[in-house]
């Protein structure tokens, strides 16, 4: 696919600024350039994650589909739930712009929540661009994640989790995928799943409009987006969930585009579907996820609030 050399027509729903260049979007979405210490964050995540897998009750690399990458990890609650009561479930989807990182880098998200009696699921998926024999595109990844969620619905009770109390959360590309799961037509995926099964989702620095990444040359080289994929896999082009709710959080120190994306999903889906739309001060694209290890952070507060709401809705 050739790189775009002309500005596409502005789309009112996407809300893309009328004055921009491909280079502008490259700069706005280059989080590693914006956060020079990103490597320290990634190294810390990997180190913490290894410790978690070695010291926590868990089940690693459970298959949920045929592809080698279609595996997930379970981290069991440390806090004992009342006898006969299944634990709420938090499904976490990692970031990396759909082209990098792995579930094994993100086991560190689990302890904050397993300590509160939550069963945590960390999901893996294929990465773009794939191979010539087996190309991978963002809609393909979204379908893989739906297969992971179908597995959770069917099997999580065997591990002590409550399939009626599932929150799906993610960071960056994972935040995009979390919103996609909230908007999913679940009976169309699996007839045994009721509409609106996923009632709570949390996005940390998520992307809801993929058009800027189609325009940005350094992203287009690996994501290979076309207009059809943008409309199929951008939450802003999908119907707002009828009952489910999205908590949309973005670091206050992130780029104008990430701040715009966070406001855009509230604008398009409405306040009922996106009751939380916040940008906690002092957090960048990496520290907003690092905050998940701090029990008193606003990130953890909103995630635990989402878990609590699954018991009420």
């Amino acid at each position: 696919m050739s790189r775009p050399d002309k500005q596409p027509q502005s789309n009112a729903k996407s809300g893309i600024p009328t004055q921009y260049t491909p280079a502008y979007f490259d700069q706005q979405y280059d989080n590693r350039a914006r956060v020079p210490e990103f490597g320290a964050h990634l190294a810390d995540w990997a180190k913490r994650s290894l410790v978690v897998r070695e010291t926590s009750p868990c089940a690693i690399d459970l298959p949920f589909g045929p592809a080698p990458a279609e595996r997930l990890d379970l981290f069991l609650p440390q806090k004992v739930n009342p006898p006969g009561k299944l634990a709420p479930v938090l499904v976490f989807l990692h970031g990396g712009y759909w082209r990098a990182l792995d579930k094994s880098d993100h086991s560190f998200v689990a302890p904050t929540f397993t300590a509160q009696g939550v069963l945590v699921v960390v999901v893996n998926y294929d990465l773009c661009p794939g191979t010539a024999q087996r190309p991978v595109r963002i809609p393909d990844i979204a379908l893989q994640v739906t297969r992971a969620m179908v597995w959770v619905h069917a099997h999580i009770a065997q591990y002590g989790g409550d399939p009626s109390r599932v929150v799906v959360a993610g960071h960056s590309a994972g935040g995009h995928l979390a919103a996609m799961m909230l908007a999913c037509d679940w009976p169309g995926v699996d007839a045994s799943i009721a509409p609106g099964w996923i009632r709570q989702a949390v996005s940390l620095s998520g992307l809801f409009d993929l058009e800027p990444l189609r325009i940005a040359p350094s992203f287009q080289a690996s994501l290979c987006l076309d207009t059809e994929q943008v409309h199929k896999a951008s939450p802003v082009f999908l119907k707002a969930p009828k009952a489910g709710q999205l908590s949309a959080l973005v670091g206050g120190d992130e780029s104008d585009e990430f701040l715009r994306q966070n406001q855009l999903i509230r604008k398009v889906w409405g306040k009922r579907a996106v009751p939380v739309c916040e940008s906690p001060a002092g957090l960048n694209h990496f520290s907003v996820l690092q905050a998940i290890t701090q029990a008193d952070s606003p990130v953890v507060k909103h995630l635990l609030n989402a878990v609590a709401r699954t018991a009420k809705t």
Side-chain angles (χ1 to χ4, degrees), residues 188-202:
V189 173
D190 188 305
S192 69
I193 302 179
W197 166 54
I198 301 298
R199 294 171 291 177
Q200 295 292 327
V202 180

Side-chain angles (χ1 to χ4, degrees), residues 138-198:
I138 293 175
D140 301 323
I141 294 172
L143 288 173
Q144 286 187 314
V145 176
T146 63
R147 285 197 284 275
M149 299 305 296
V150 169
W151 186 98
V152 168
H153 184 271
H155 300 288
I156 204 66
Q158 300 171 22
Y159 296 88
D162 188 342
S164 71
R165 295 193 62 194
V166 177
V167 175
V168 59
H171 172 241
S172 195
H176 157 267
L177 293 166
M180 292 290 288
M181 296 305 102
L182 192 66
C184 183
D185 172 22
W186 287 107
V189 173
D190 188 305
S192 69
I193 302 179
W197 166 54
I198 301 298

Side-chain angles (χ1 to χ4, degrees), residues 23-39 41 97 219 250-259 283-287:
Y24 168 78
F25 287 121
D26 264 347
Q27 181 270 335
Q28 284 284 299
Y29 289 96
D30 189 350
N31 291 304
R32 296 190 177 195
R34 293 182 62 86
V35 185
E37 65 274 19
F38 78 89
H41 284 291
Y97 276 129
F219 292 91
V250 63
D253 289 348
E254 298 204 48
S255 71
D256 290 343
E257 270 295 283
F258 270 92
L259 294 169
L283 297 179
N284 60 46
H285 191 77
F286 298 93
S287 60

Side-chain angles (χ1 to χ4, degrees), residues 48-313:
R48 287 174 182 259
S49 293
L50 180 59
V51 172
V52 169
R53 290 194 300 278
E54 290 178 344
T55 61
S56 303
C58 57
I60 303 298
D61 284 333
L62 300 178
F64 63 82
E70 293 183 80
R71 300 290 184 270
L72 54 80
D73 298 340
L74 302 182
F75 298 90
L76 305 180
Q78 300 173 37
K79 179 181 176 182
V80 178
N81 287 283
K85 187 173 183 180
L86 296 173
V89 179
L90 174 65
V91 177
F92 183 82
L93 308 171
H94 74 79
Y97 276 129
W98 310 273
R99 62 185 186 182
L101 303 181
D102 185 89
K103 66 177 173 59
S104 63
D105 302 309
H106 293 81
S107 308
F108 77 94
V109 305
T112 299
F113 305 98
T114 57
Q116 298 297 319
V118 179
L119 193 160
V120 176
V121 183
V122 184
V123 175
N124 225 37
Y125 48 81
D126 277 320
L127 300 176
C128 296
T131 65
Q133 294 74 29
R134 189 171 175 273
V136 177
R137 303 293 182 259
I138 293 175
D140 301 323
I141 294 172
L143 288 173
Q144 286 187 314
V145 176
T146 63
R147 285 197 284 275
M149 299 305 296
V150 169
W151 186 98
V152 168
H153 184 271
H155 300 288
I156 204 66
Q158 300 171 22
Y159 296 88
D162 188 342
S164 71
R165 295 193 62 194
V166 177
V167 175
V168 59
H171 172 241
S172 195
H176 157 267
L177 293 166
M180 292 290 288
M181 296 305 102
L182 192 66
C184 183
D185 172 22
W186 287 107
V189 173
D190 188 305
S192 69
I193 302 179
W197 166 54
I198 301 298
R199 294 171 291 177
Q200 295 292 327
V202 180
S203 170
L204 306 178
S205 302
L207 298 121
F208 309 109
D209 173 17
L210 302 183
E211 178 66 3
L213 299 178
R214 186 188 72 81
I215 298 167
S218 66
F219 292 91
Q220 180 65 342
S222 55
L223 300 182
C224 305
L225 282 162
D226 59 27
T227 300
E228 180 181 359
Q229 293 168 24
V230 167
H231 283 77
K232 181 184 294 185
S234 291
V236 296
F237 292 113
L238 304 179
K239 293 181 179 178
K242 292 182 178 179
Q245 294 180 317
L246 174 71
S247 296
L249 305 173
V250 63
D253 289 348
E254 298 204 48
S255 71
D256 290 343
E257 270 295 283
F258 270 92
L259 294 169
R260 181 186 70 84
Q261 291 257 3
N262 207 60
Q263 291 292 325
L264 181 63
I265 193 66
R266 157 74 73 85
K267 178 181 178 182
V268 174
W269 277 9
K271 190 172 181 179
R272 188 217 60 77
V274 190
V276 175
C277 184
E278 297 183 7
S279 51
L283 297 179
N284 60 46
H285 191 77
F286 298 93
S287 60
V288 73
L289 181 57
Q290 195 86 18
I292 214 167
T293 65
Q294 302 159 9
D296 60 348
S297 74
V299 170
V300 171
K301 179 192 76 172
H302 285 298
L303 281 160
L304 289 176
N305 284 346
V307 171
R309 285 194 292 271
T310 63
K312 302 175 182 177
T313 56

